[in-house]
Amino acid sequence: MIARAPAWGWSLLLGAIAAASISALTVQLAFAVVAIGFIGMAHGASDLAIVEPRQRPLFVALYVFVGAVCLCWWVIDPAVALPAFLVASAVHFGVEDAPADRPLERVARGTSLVATPATLHATNLTDILRLGGISTNVLPAMVSTMALIGAIAAAYLVVKACQRKDLRLLVGTVALVVLPPLVGFSVGFLVLHAAPQTFERRTQIGCATMGSSLP
């Protein structure tokens, strides 16, 4: 189920999602940066809570180094770096967001978060990937493939969500299908990955509140 929140909080979030969905691509990008940045950083920052204090400087240094290498690779060869990043992200989401005894759901979850936004918004996603550095020669085939496998994965997850009465899975998957790619991915990322991982990590380290789970 989805965690309870004040009604004004949900209203503000839904309003922001609606406004971003009908706005220009730059506004949608800003929405994604804010949505993924704030919640995403919170769920990533909790990694430090399970690292020995004396090892944290090295952990942070390696984290920044890997990020810098990935960024440089993207700048130098985006046609290879961006697809590789999407595949790596799909693997990460699948492994983290579904239990090990549900291998098909793992594949569907990872695939859906990355590919489902192409299902109804192929043109929009094509523009985004072109700006990201993907060659126009491979873009049509890449987006068509993403649209197909994304639709299959989303259909599977919607069926599973209805069978299990899993509102979180249903809302996140539907958002990936119907909202513009940057907005849909942001909502799907928050609902399906970042928020559950943050709450799970908080439970693992025995913290009563979100703030206390951050080092």
Side-chain angles (χ1 to χ4, degrees), residues 33-132:
V33 170
V34 172
I36 296 173
F38 277 100
I39 306 298
M41 287 179 65
H43 109 273
S46 63
D47 289 343
L48 286 174
I50 59 175
V51 176
E52 291 290 336
R54 59 186 178 82
Q55 295 179 332
R56 287 176 183 172
L58 177 61
F59 178 87
V60 172
L62 290 174
Y63 193 92
V64 172
F65 173 75
V66 171
V69 169
C70 290
L71 180 59
C72 290
W73 184 21
W74 190 358
V75 172
I76 294 170
D77 192 5
V80 175
L82 183 52
F85 176 75
L86 294 176
V87 171
S89 298
V91 172
H92 171 70
F93 294 141
V95 170
E96 292 288 328
D97 298 342
D101 60 353
R102 298 177 187 169
L104 191 56
E105 184 174 337
R106 280 189 160 189
V107 173
R109 281 187 176 243
T111 301
S112 182
L113 258 173
V114 172
T116 294
T119 303
L120 298 181
H121 302 280
T123 300
N124 198 335
L125 184 62
T126 297
D127 292 338
I128 294 170
L129 293 177
R130 184 185 295 112
L131 291 173

Coordinates of all heavy atoms in Angstrom, one line a residue, residues 33-132:
V33 N 14.4 16.7 -12.2 CA 15.5 17.0 -11.3 C 15.1 17.1 -9.9 O 15.8 16.6 -9.0 CB 16.3 18.2 -11.9 CG1 17.3 18.7 -10.9 CG2 16.9 18.0 -13.2
V34 N 14.1 17.9 -9.6 CA 13.6 18.1 -8.3 C 13.1 16.8 -7.6 O 13.5 16.5 -6.5 CB 12.5 19.2 -8.2 CG1 11.9 19.3 -6.8 CG2 13.1 20.5 -8.6
A35 N 12.2 16.1 -8.4 CA 11.6 14.9 -7.8 C 12.6 13.8 -7.5 O 12.6 13.2 -6.5 CB 10.5 14.4 -8.8
I36 N 13.5 13.6 -8.5 CA 14.4 12.5 -8.4 C 15.6 12.9 -7.4 O 16.0 12.1 -6.6 CB 15.0 12.1 -9.7 CG1 13.9 11.5 -10.6 CG2 16.1 11.1 -9.6 CD1 14.3 11.2 -12.0
G37 N 15.9 14.2 -7.5 CA 17.0 14.7 -6.7 C 16.7 14.6 -5.2 O 17.5 14.0 -4.4
F38 N 15.6 15.2 -4.8 CA 15.3 15.2 -3.3 C 15.0 13.8 -2.7 O 15.7 13.4 -1.8 CB 14.0 16.1 -3.1 CG 14.4 17.5 -3.0 CD1 14.2 18.4 -4.1 CD2 14.9 18.1 -1.9 CE1 14.5 19.7 -4.1 CE2 15.3 19.4 -1.8 CZ 15.0 20.3 -2.9
I39 N 14.1 13.0 -3.3 CA 13.8 11.7 -2.8 C 14.9 10.7 -3.1 O 15.3 9.9 -2.3 CB 12.5 11.2 -3.3 CG1 11.4 12.2 -3.1 CG2 12.1 9.8 -2.7 CD1 11.1 12.5 -1.6
G40 N 15.4 10.8 -4.3 CA 16.5 9.9 -4.7 C 17.8 10.1 -3.9 O 18.4 9.1 -3.5
M41 N 18.1 11.3 -3.6 CA 19.3 11.5 -2.8 C 19.1 11.0 -1.4 O 20.0 10.5 -0.7 CB 19.6 13.0 -2.7 CG 20.3 13.5 -4.0 SD 20.6 15.3 -4.0 CE 21.9 15.3 -2.7
A42 N 17.8 11.2 -0.9 CA 17.5 10.7 0.5 C 17.7 9.2 0.6 O 18.3 8.6 1.5 CB 16.1 11.0 0.9
H43 N 17.2 8.4 -0.5 CA 17.4 7.0 -0.4 C 18.8 6.5 -0.7 O 19.2 5.5 -0.2 CB 16.3 6.3 -1.4 CG 16.9 5.7 -2.6 ND1 17.1 6.4 -3.7 CD2 17.2 4.4 -2.9 CE1 17.6 5.6 -4.7 NE2 17.7 4.4 -4.2
G44 N 19.6 7.3 -1.4 CA 21.0 7.0 -1.6 C 21.8 7.4 -0.4 O 22.8 6.7 -0.1
A45 N 21.5 8.5 0.2 CA 22.3 9.0 1.3 C 22.3 8.0 2.5 O 23.2 7.9 3.3 CB 21.8 10.3 1.8
S46 N 21.2 7.2 2.6 CA 21.1 6.3 3.7 C 22.1 5.1 3.6 O 22.4 4.4 4.6 CB 19.7 5.7 3.8 OG 19.4 4.9 2.7
D47 N 22.8 5.0 2.4 CA 23.8 4.0 2.3 C 25.0 4.3 3.3 O 25.6 3.3 3.8 CB 24.4 4.0 0.9 CG 23.5 3.5 -0.2 OD1 22.5 2.8 0.2 OD2 23.7 3.8 -1.4
L48 N 25.2 5.5 3.6 CA 26.3 5.9 4.5 C 26.0 5.3 5.9 O 26.9 5.1 6.7 CB 26.5 7.4 4.6 CG 27.1 8.0 3.4 CD1 27.1 9.6 3.5 CD2 28.6 7.5 3.2
A49 N 24.7 5.1 6.2 CA 24.4 4.7 7.6 C 24.9 3.2 7.8 O 25.0 2.8 9.0 CB 22.9 4.7 7.8
I50 N 25.1 2.5 6.8 CA 25.6 1.1 7.0 C 27.1 1.0 6.7 O 27.6 -0.2 6.6 CB 24.8 0.1 6.1 CG1 24.9 0.4 4.6 CG2 23.3 0.1 6.6 CD1 24.2 -0.6 3.7
V51 N 27.8 2.1 6.5 CA 29.2 2.1 6.2 C 29.9 2.5 7.5 O 29.5 3.5 8.2 CB 29.6 3.0 5.1 CG1 31.1 3.1 4.9 CG2 28.9 2.6 3.8
E52 N 31.0 1.9 7.9 CA 31.7 2.2 9.1 C 32.2 3.7 8.9 O 32.6 4.1 7.9 CB 33.0 1.3 9.2 CG 32.7 -0.1 9.6 CD 32.1 -0.2 11.0 OE1 32.4 0.6 11.8 OE2 31.4 -1.2 11.2
P53 N 32.0 4.5 10.0 CA 32.4 5.9 10.0 C 33.8 6.1 9.4 O 34.0 7.1 8.6 CB 32.3 6.3 11.5 CG 31.3 5.4 12.0 CD 31.5 4.1 11.4
R54 N 34.8 5.3 9.8 CA 36.1 5.5 9.3 C 36.3 5.2 7.8 O 37.2 5.7 7.2 CB 37.1 4.7 10.1 CG 36.9 3.2 10.0 CD 37.8 2.4 10.9 NE 37.5 0.9 10.9 CZ 38.0 0.1 9.9 NH1 38.7 0.6 9.0 NH2 37.7 -1.2 10.0
Q55 N 35.3 4.5 7.2 CA 35.4 4.2 5.8 C 34.5 5.1 4.9 O 34.6 5.0 3.7 CB 34.9 2.7 5.6 CG 35.8 1.7 6.2 CD 35.3 0.3 6.0 OE1 34.1 0.1 5.8 NE2 36.2 -0.7 6.0
R56 N 33.8 6.0 5.6 CA 32.9 6.9 4.8 C 33.6 7.8 3.9 O 33.1 8.0 2.7 CB 32.0 7.7 5.8 CG 30.9 6.8 6.4 CD 30.1 7.5 7.5 NE 29.1 6.6 8.1 CZ 28.4 7.0 9.1 NH1 28.5 8.2 9.7 NH2 27.6 6.1 9.7
P57 N 34.7 8.4 4.2 CA 35.4 9.3 3.3 C 35.8 8.6 2.0 O 35.6 9.1 0.9 CB 36.7 9.8 4.0 CG 36.2 9.8 5.5 CD 35.4 8.5 5.6
L58 N 36.3 7.3 2.1 CA 36.7 6.5 1.0 C 35.5 6.2 0.2 O 35.5 6.2 -1.1 CB 37.4 5.3 1.4 CG 37.8 4.3 0.3 CD1 38.7 5.0 -0.7 CD2 38.5 3.0 0.9
F59 N 34.4 5.8 0.9 CA 33.1 5.4 0.2 C 32.6 6.6 -0.7 O 32.3 6.4 -1.8 CB 32.1 5.0 1.2 CG 30.7 4.7 0.6 CD1 30.5 3.4 0.2 CD2 29.7 5.7 0.5 CE1 29.2 3.1 -0.3 CE2 28.5 5.3 0.0 CZ 28.2 4.0 -0.4
V60 N 32.6 7.8 -0.1 CA 32.1 9.0 -0.8 C 33.0 9.3 -2.0 O 32.6 9.6 -3.1 CB 32.0 10.2 0.2 CG1 31.7 11.5 -0.6 CG2 30.9 9.9 1.2
A61 N 34.3 9.2 -1.7 CA 35.3 9.5 -2.8 C 35.1 8.5 -4.0 O 35.1 9.0 -5.2 CB 36.7 9.4 -2.3
L62 N 34.9 7.3 -3.7 CA 34.7 6.3 -4.8 C 33.4 6.5 -5.5 O 33.3 6.4 -6.7 CB 34.8 4.9 -4.2 CG 36.1 4.4 -3.7 CD1 36.0 3.0 -3.1 CD2 37.1 4.3 -4.9
Y63 N 32.4 6.9 -4.7 CA 31.1 7.2 -5.3 C 31.1 8.4 -6.2 O 30.6 8.3 -7.4 CB 30.1 7.5 -4.1 CG 28.6 7.6 -4.5 CD1 27.8 6.4 -4.3 CD2 28.0 8.7 -4.9 CE1 26.5 6.4 -4.7 CE2 26.7 8.8 -5.3 CZ 25.9 7.6 -5.1 OH 24.6 7.7 -5.5
V64 N 31.8 9.4 -5.8 CA 32.0 10.6 -6.7 C 32.8 10.2 -7.9 O 32.5 10.7 -9.0 CB 32.6 11.8 -5.9 CG1 33.0 12.9 -6.8 CG2 31.7 12.2 -4.8
F65 N 33.9 9.4 -7.7 CA 34.8 9.1 -8.8 C 34.0 8.3 -9.9 O 34.1 8.5 -11.1 CB 35.9 8.2 -8.3 CG 36.8 7.6 -9.4 CD1 37.7 8.5 -10.1 CD2 36.7 6.3 -9.7 CE1 38.5 7.9 -11.1 CE2 37.5 5.8 -10.7 CZ 38.4 6.6 -11.4
V66 N 33.2 7.3 -9.4 CA 32.4 6.5 -10.4 C 31.4 7.4 -11.2 O 31.2 7.3 -12.4 CB 31.7 5.4 -9.7 CG1 30.7 4.7 -10.6 CG2 32.7 4.3 -9.1
G67 N 30.8 8.3 -10.4 CA 29.9 9.2 -11.1 C 30.5 10.1 -12.1 O 30.0 10.3 -13.2
A68 N 31.7 10.6 -11.8 CA 32.5 11.4 -12.7 C 32.9 10.6 -13.9 O 32.9 11.2 -15.1 CB 33.7 12.0 -12.0
V69 N 33.3 9.4 -13.7 CA 33.7 8.6 -14.9 C 32.5 8.3 -15.8 O 32.7 8.4 -17.0 CB 34.3 7.2 -14.4 CG1 34.4 6.2 -15.6 CG2 35.6 7.4 -13.7
C70 N 31.4 8.0 -15.2 CA 30.2 7.8 -16.0 C 29.8 9.1 -16.8 O 29.4 9.0 -18.0 CB 29.0 7.4 -15.1 SG 29.2 5.7 -14.4
L71 N 29.9 10.3 -16.1 CA 29.6 11.5 -16.8 C 30.5 11.8 -18.0 O 30.1 12.2 -19.0 CB 29.6 12.7 -15.8 CG 29.3 14.1 -16.3 CD1 27.9 14.1 -16.9 CD2 29.4 15.1 -15.2
C72 N 31.8 11.5 -17.7 CA 32.8 11.7 -18.8 C 32.5 10.8 -20.0 O 32.7 11.2 -21.1 CB 34.2 11.5 -18.3 SG 34.8 12.8 -17.1
W73 N 32.2 9.6 -19.7 CA 31.9 8.6 -20.7 C 30.7 9.1 -21.5 O 30.7 9.0 -22.8 CB 31.6 7.2 -20.1 CG 31.4 6.1 -21.1 CD1 31.8 6.1 -22.4 CD2 30.7 4.9 -20.8 NE1 31.4 4.9 -23.0 CE2 30.8 4.1 -22.0 CE3 30.1 4.3 -19.7 CZ2 30.2 2.9 -22.2 CZ3 29.5 3.1 -19.8 CH2 29.6 2.4 -21.0
W74 N 29.7 9.6 -20.8 CA 28.5 10.1 -21.5 C 28.9 11.2 -22.5 O 28.4 11.3 -23.6 CB 27.5 10.5 -20.5 CG 26.1 10.8 -21.1 CD1 25.8 10.8 -22.4 CD2 24.9 11.2 -20.4 NE1 24.4 11.1 -22.6 CE2 23.9 11.4 -21.3 CE3 24.7 11.4 -19.0 CZ2 22.6 11.8 -21.0 CZ3 23.4 11.8 -18.7 CH2 22.4 12.0 -19.6
V75 N 29.7 12.1 -22.0 CA 30.1 13.3 -22.8 C 30.9 12.9 -24.0 O 30.7 13.3 -25.1 CB 30.9 14.3 -22.0 CG1 31.5 15.4 -22.8 CG2 30.0 14.9 -20.9
I76 N 31.8 11.9 -23.8 CA 32.7 11.4 -24.9 C 32.0 10.6 -25.9 O 32.2 10.7 -27.1 CB 33.9 10.7 -24.3 CG1 34.8 11.7 -23.4 CG2 34.8 10.1 -25.4 CD1 35.8 11.0 -22.6
D77 N 31.2 9.6 -25.4 CA 30.6 8.6 -26.3 C 29.1 8.4 -25.9 O 28.8 7.3 -25.4 CB 31.4 7.3 -26.3 CG 31.0 6.4 -27.4 OD1 30.1 6.8 -28.3 OD2 31.5 5.3 -27.5
P78 N 28.2 9.3 -26.0 CA 26.9 9.2 -25.5 C 26.1 8.1 -26.2 O 25.2 7.5 -25.6 CB 26.2 10.6 -25.8 CG 27.0 11.1 -26.9 CD 28.4 10.7 -26.6
A79 N 26.4 7.8 -27.5 CA 25.7 6.7 -28.2 C 25.8 5.4 -27.6 O 25.0 4.5 -27.7 CB 26.1 6.7 -29.6
V80 N 26.9 5.2 -26.8 CA 27.2 3.9 -26.1 C 26.8 4.0 -24.7 O 26.2 3.2 -24.0 CB 28.6 3.4 -26.3 CG1 28.9 2.2 -25.5 CG2 28.9 3.2 -27.8
A81 N 27.2 5.2 -24.1 CA 27.1 5.3 -22.6 C 25.6 5.4 -22.2 O 25.3 4.8 -21.2 CB 27.8 6.6 -22.2
L82 N 24.8 6.1 -23.0 CA 23.4 6.2 -22.5 C 22.6 4.9 -22.6 O 22.0 4.5 -21.6 CB 22.7 7.2 -23.4 CG 21.2 7.5 -23.0 CD1 21.1 7.9 -21.5 CD2 20.6 8.7 -23.9
P83 N 22.7 4.1 -23.7 CA 22.1 2.8 -23.6 C 22.6 1.9 -22.5 O 21.9 1.1 -21.9 CB 22.4 2.2 -25.0 CG 22.6 3.4 -25.9 CD 23.2 4.4 -25.0
A84 N 24.0 1.9 -22.3 CA 24.6 1.1 -21.2 C 24.0 1.5 -19.9 O 23.7 0.7 -19.0 CB 26.1 1.3 -21.2
F85 N 23.8 2.8 -19.7 CA 23.3 3.3 -18.4 C 21.8 2.9 -18.2 O 21.4 2.5 -17.1 CB 23.3 4.9 -18.4 CG 22.7 5.5 -17.2 CD1 23.3 5.4 -15.9 CD2 21.4 6.1 -17.3 CE1 22.7 6.0 -14.8 CE2 20.8 6.7 -16.2 CZ 21.4 6.6 -15.0
L86 N 21.0 2.9 -19.3 CA 19.7 2.4 -19.2 C 19.6 0.9 -18.9 O 18.7 0.5 -18.1 CB 18.9 2.7 -20.6 CG 18.7 4.2 -21.0 CD1 18.1 4.3 -22.3 CD2 17.9 4.9 -19.9
V87 N 20.4 0.1 -19.5 CA 20.5 -1.3 -19.2 C 20.9 -1.5 -17.7 O 20.2 -2.3 -17.0 CB 21.4 -2.0 -20.1 CG1 21.6 -3.5 -19.7 CG2 20.9 -2.0 -21.6
A88 N 21.9 -0.8 -17.3 CA 22.4 -0.9 -15.9 C 21.3 -0.5 -14.9 O 21.1 -1.1 -13.9 CB 23.6 -0.1 -15.7
S89 N 20.5 0.5 -15.3 CA 19.4 1.0 -14.4 C 18.3 0.0 -14.3 O 17.8 -0.3 -13.3 CB 18.9 2.3 -15.0 OG 19.9 3.3 -15.0
A90 N 18.0 -0.6 -15.5 CA 17.0 -1.7 -15.5 C 17.3 -2.8 -14.6 O 16.5 -3.3 -13.8 CB 16.7 -2.1 -16.9
V91 N 18.6 -3.2 -14.7 CA 19.1 -4.3 -13.8 C 19.0 -3.9 -12.3 O 18.5 -4.7 -11.5 CB 20.5 -4.7 -14.2 CG1 21.1 -5.7 -13.1 CG2 20.6 -5.3 -15.6
H92 N 19.4 -2.7 -12.0 CA 19.4 -2.2 -10.6 C 17.9 -2.2 -10.1 O 17.7 -2.7 -9.0 CB 20.0 -0.8 -10.6 CG 19.8 -0.2 -9.3 ND1 20.4 -0.6 -8.1 CD2 19.0 0.9 -8.9 CE1 20.1 0.2 -7.1 NE2 19.2 1.1 -7.6
F93 N 17.0 -1.6 -10.9 CA 15.6 -1.5 -10.4 C 15.0 -2.9 -10.2 O 14.3 -3.1 -9.3 CB 14.8 -0.7 -11.4 CG 15.2 0.7 -11.5 CD1 15.2 1.4 -12.8 CD2 15.6 1.5 -10.4 CE1 15.6 2.7 -12.9 CE2 15.9 2.8 -10.5 CZ 16.0 3.4 -11.8
G94 N 15.3 -3.8 -11.2 CA 14.7 -5.1 -11.1 C 15.2 -5.9 -9.9 O 14.4 -6.5 -9.2
V95 N 16.5 -5.8 -9.6 CA 17.0 -6.6 -8.5 C 16.6 -6.0 -7.2 O 16.3 -6.7 -6.2 CB 18.6 -6.6 -8.6 CG1 19.2 -7.1 -7.3 CG2 19.0 -7.4 -9.8
E96 N 16.5 -4.7 -7.1 CA 16.2 -4.0 -5.8 C 14.7 -4.0 -5.5 O 14.3 -4.1 -4.3 CB 16.6 -2.5 -5.9 CG 18.1 -2.4 -5.9 CD 18.8 -2.7 -4.6 OE1 18.1 -2.5 -3.5 OE2 19.9 -3.2 -4.6
D97 N 13.8 -4.0 -6.5 CA 12.4 -3.7 -6.3 C 11.5 -4.9 -6.2 O 10.3 -4.8 -5.9 CB 11.9 -2.8 -7.4 CG 12.6 -1.4 -7.3 OD1 13.2 -1.1 -6.3 OD2 12.5 -0.7 -8.3
A98 N 12.0 -6.1 -6.6 CA 11.2 -7.3 -6.5 C 12.0 -8.4 -5.8 O 13.2 -8.5 -5.9 CB 10.8 -7.8 -7.9
P99 N 11.3 -9.3 -5.1 CA 12.0 -10.4 -4.3 C 12.7 -11.3 -5.3 O 12.3 -11.5 -6.5 CB 10.8 -11.1 -3.6 CG 9.7 -10.1 -3.6 CD 9.8 -9.3 -4.9
A100 N 13.7 -12.0 -4.8 CA 14.5 -12.9 -5.6 C 13.7 -14.1 -6.1 O 14.1 -14.7 -7.1 CB 15.7 -13.4 -4.8
D101 N 12.6 -14.5 -5.3 CA 11.9 -15.6 -5.8 C 10.8 -15.3 -6.8 O 9.9 -16.1 -7.1 CB 11.2 -16.3 -4.5 CG 10.2 -15.3 -3.8 OD1 10.2 -14.1 -4.1 OD2 9.5 -15.8 -2.9
R102 N 10.9 -14.1 -7.4 CA 10.0 -13.6 -8.4 C 10.8 -13.1 -9.6 O 10.8 -12.0 -9.9 CB 9.0 -12.5 -8.0 CG 8.1 -12.9 -6.8 CD 7.3 -11.7 -6.4 NE 6.5 -12.0 -5.2 CZ 5.8 -11.1 -4.5 NH1 5.9 -9.8 -4.9 NH2 5.1 -11.4 -3.5
P103 N 11.6 -14.0 -10.3 CA 12.5 -13.6 -11.3 C 11.8 -12.9 -12.5 O 12.3 -11.9 -13.0 CB 13.2 -14.9 -11.8 CG 12.2 -16.0 -11.3 CD 11.6 -15.5 -10.1
L104 N 10.6 -13.3 -12.9 CA 9.9 -12.7 -14.0 C 9.5 -11.3 -13.6 O 9.5 -10.4 -14.4 CB 8.7 -13.6 -14.3 CG 8.0 -13.2 -15.7 CD1 8.9 -13.2 -16.8 CD2 6.8 -14.1 -15.9
E105 N 9.0 -11.1 -12.3 CA 8.7 -9.8 -11.9 C 9.9 -8.9 -11.8 O 9.8 -7.7 -12.1 CB 8.0 -9.8 -10.5 CG 7.5 -8.5 -10.1 CD 6.6 -8.5 -8.8 OE1 6.1 -9.6 -8.5 OE2 6.6 -7.4 -8.1
R106 N 11.0 -9.4 -11.5 CA 12.2 -8.6 -11.5 C 12.5 -8.1 -12.9 O 12.9 -6.9 -13.0 CB 13.4 -9.5 -11.0 CG 13.5 -9.6 -9.5 CD 14.8 -10.3 -9.0 NE 15.1 -10.0 -7.6 CZ 16.2 -10.3 -7.0 NH1 17.2 -10.9 -7.7 NH2 16.4 -10.0 -5.8
V107 N 12.4 -9.0 -13.8 CA 12.7 -8.5 -15.2 C 11.7 -7.5 -15.6 O 12.0 -6.5 -16.3 CB 12.6 -9.8 -16.2 CG1 12.7 -9.3 -17.6 CG2 13.7 -10.7 -15.9
A108 N 10.4 -7.7 -15.3 CA 9.3 -6.8 -15.7 C 9.5 -5.4 -15.0 O 9.3 -4.4 -15.7 CB 8.0 -7.4 -15.3
R109 N 9.9 -5.4 -13.7 CA 10.0 -4.1 -13.0 C 11.2 -3.3 -13.6 O 11.0 -2.1 -13.8 CB 10.2 -4.4 -11.5 CG 8.9 -4.7 -10.8 CD 9.2 -4.7 -9.3 NE 7.9 -4.9 -8.5 CZ 7.5 -4.0 -7.6 NH1 8.1 -2.9 -7.5 NH2 6.4 -4.3 -7.0
G110 N 12.3 -4.0 -13.8 CA 13.4 -3.3 -14.3 C 13.2 -2.7 -15.7 O 13.5 -1.6 -16.1
T111 N 12.6 -3.6 -16.6 CA 12.3 -3.2 -17.9 C 11.2 -2.1 -18.0 O 11.4 -1.1 -18.7 CB 11.7 -4.4 -18.7 OG1 12.7 -5.5 -18.7 CG2 11.4 -4.0 -20.1
S112 N 10.2 -2.2 -17.1 CA 9.1 -1.2 -17.2 C 9.6 0.2 -16.8 O 9.2 1.2 -17.5 CB 8.0 -1.6 -16.2 OG 6.9 -0.7 -16.3
L113 N 10.4 0.3 -15.8 CA 10.8 1.7 -15.4 C 11.6 2.4 -16.5 O 11.5 3.6 -16.6 CB 11.7 1.6 -14.1 CG 11.0 1.9 -12.8 CD1 11.8 1.7 -11.6 CD2 10.5 3.4 -12.8
V114 N 12.3 1.6 -17.3 CA 13.2 2.2 -18.3 C 12.4 2.3 -19.6 O 12.6 3.3 -20.3 CB 14.5 1.4 -18.5 CG1 15.2 1.8 -19.7 CG2 15.3 1.4 -17.2
A115 N 11.6 1.3 -20.0 CA 11.1 1.2 -21.3 C 9.6 1.6 -21.5 O 9.2 2.1 -22.5 CB 11.3 -0.2 -21.9
T116 N 8.8 1.5 -20.4 CA 7.4 1.7 -20.5 C 7.1 3.2 -21.0 O 6.1 3.4 -21.7 CB 6.7 1.4 -19.2 OG1 6.7 -0.1 -19.0 CG2 5.2 1.8 -19.3
P117 N 7.8 4.2 -20.6 CA 7.5 5.5 -21.0 C 7.5 5.7 -22.5 O 6.9 6.6 -23.0 CB 8.6 6.4 -20.4 CG 9.0 5.7 -19.2 CD 8.9 4.2 -19.5
A118 N 8.1 4.7 -23.3 CA 8.0 4.8 -24.7 C 6.7 4.3 -25.3 O 6.4 4.6 -26.5 CB 9.2 4.0 -25.3
T119 N 5.9 3.6 -24.5 CA 4.7 3.0 -25.0 C 3.7 3.9 -25.7 O 3.3 3.7 -26.8 CB 4.0 2.2 -23.9 OG1 4.9 1.2 -23.4 CG2 2.8 1.4 -24.5
L120 N 3.4 5.0 -25.0 CA 2.4 6.0 -25.5 C 3.1 7.3 -25.9 O 2.4 8.2 -26.4 CB 1.3 6.2 -24.5 CG 0.4 5.1 -24.2 CD1 -0.7 5.5 -23.2 CD2 -0.2 4.4 -25.4
H121 N 4.4 7.4 -25.7 CA 5.0 8.7 -25.9 C 6.3 8.5 -26.7 O 7.4 9.1 -26.3 CB 5.3 9.4 -24.5 CG 4.1 9.6 -23.7 ND1 3.3 10.7 -23.9 CD2 3.6 8.9 -22.7 CE1 2.3 10.6 -23.0 NE2 2.4 9.6 -22.3
A122 N 6.3 7.8 -27.8 CA 7.5 7.5 -28.6 C 8.1 8.8 -29.1 O 9.3 8.9 -29.1 CB 7.1 6.5 -29.7
T123 N 7.3 9.7 -29.6 CA 7.9 10.9 -30.2 C 8.6 11.7 -29.1 O 9.7 12.2 -29.4 CB 6.8 11.8 -30.8 OG1 6.1 11.0 -31.9 CG2 7.4 13.0 -31.4
N124 N 8.0 11.9 -28.0 CA 8.6 12.7 -26.9 C 9.9 12.0 -26.4 O 10.9 12.7 -26.2 CB 7.6 12.7 -25.7 CG 7.9 13.9 -24.7 OD1 9.1 14.3 -24.6 ND2 6.9 14.3 -24.0
L125 N 9.9 10.7 -26.2 CA 11.0 10.0 -25.8 C 12.1 10.1 -26.8 O 13.3 10.2 -26.5 CB 10.7 8.5 -25.4 CG 11.9 7.7 -24.9 CD1 12.4 8.3 -23.5 CD2 11.5 6.3 -24.6
T126 N 11.8 10.0 -28.1 CA 12.8 10.1 -29.2 C 13.5 11.4 -29.1 O 14.7 11.5 -29.2 CB 12.1 10.0 -30.6 OG1 11.5 8.7 -30.7 CG2 13.1 10.2 -31.7
D127 N 12.8 12.5 -28.8 CA 13.4 13.8 -28.7 C 14.3 13.9 -27.5 O 15.4 14.4 -27.6 CB 12.3 14.9 -28.5 CG 11.5 15.1 -29.8 OD1 11.9 14.7 -30.9 OD2 10.3 15.6 -29.6
I128 N 14.0 13.2 -26.4 CA 14.8 13.2 -25.2 C 16.1 12.4 -25.5 O 17.2 12.9 -25.1 CB 14.0 12.6 -24.0 CG1 12.9 13.6 -23.6 CG2 15.0 12.4 -22.8 CD1 11.9 12.9 -22.6
L129 N 15.9 11.3 -26.1 CA 17.1 10.4 -26.4 C 18.0 11.1 -27.4 O 19.3 10.9 -27.3 CB 16.7 9.1 -26.8 CG 16.0 8.2 -25.8 CD1 15.5 6.9 -26.4 CD2 16.9 7.9 -24.6
R130 N 17.4 11.8 -28.3 CA 18.3 12.5 -29.3 C 19.1 13.6 -28.6 O 20.3 13.8 -28.9 CB 17.4 13.2 -30.4 CG 18.2 13.8 -31.5 CD 17.3 14.6 -32.5 NE 16.5 13.7 -33.2 CZ 15.2 13.6 -33.1 NH1 14.5 14.4 -32.3 NH2 14.4 12.8 -33.8
L131 N 18.5 14.3 -27.7 CA 19.2 15.3 -26.9 C 20.3 14.7 -26.0 O 21.3 15.3 -25.7 CB 18.2 16.1 -26.1 CG 17.3 17.1 -26.8 CD1 16.2 17.7 -25.8 CD2 18.0 18.2 -27.5
G132 N 20.0 13.4 -25.6 CA 21.0 12.7 -24.8 C 22.1 12.1 -25.6 O 23.1 11.6 -25.0

